[in-house]
Amino acid sequence: MDFWFLAFLFTVAILVAVGVSLLLVGYLGTLPASFDHGWRSWMPALLLPILGPLWFASTRWAEFARPGRQLLVGLILLAAAVGLLYGAGPHFVDRMAAGVK
């Protein structure tokens, strides 16, 4: 294993860890609050794990801007990790396969 592969793995792991933790914190910030606003608010937030809390936070942005931003940034970080994994991952697989031959 070379340095660049380790840097690649570390970057993907950190992006996933921070993204999932932000999604979890944003989800836990909006789900209990959605129960206070009636069943029309908590039903989508409970049944649609990412889109429901994001919709709830966007409809009440003045109150739930922070959890909404946490959800958005978490999604962006996870998308960046997946893009990096599928974008640069084949390059590292080709390099490692060439080293095995």
Side-chain angles (χ1 to χ4, degrees), residues 1-16 81 84-85 88-89 92 95-96:
M1 280 198 272
D2 60 347
F3 170 75
W4 295 111
F5 180 67
L6 288 176
F8 168 73
L9 284 180
F10 181 76
T11 304
V12 170
I14 292 297
L15 284 172
V16 168
L84 186 62
L85 189 62
F92 287 107
R95 283 181 59 188
M96 292 178 82

Side-chain angles (χ1 to χ4, degrees), residues 39-82:
W39 70 271
R40 288 189 178 134
S41 294
W42 67 260
M43 187 70 85
L46 188 63
L47 295 178
L48 302 170
I50 303 298
L51 297 176
L54 200 59
W55 167 78
F56 177 76
S58 68
T59 57
R60 293 161 181 84
W61 192 257
E63 301 171 66
F64 299 103
R66 185 173 183 168
R69 276 188 246 120
Q70 289 169 341
L71 288 167
L72 284 173
V73 171
L75 281 175
I76 290 169
L77 288 176
L78 281 179
V82 168

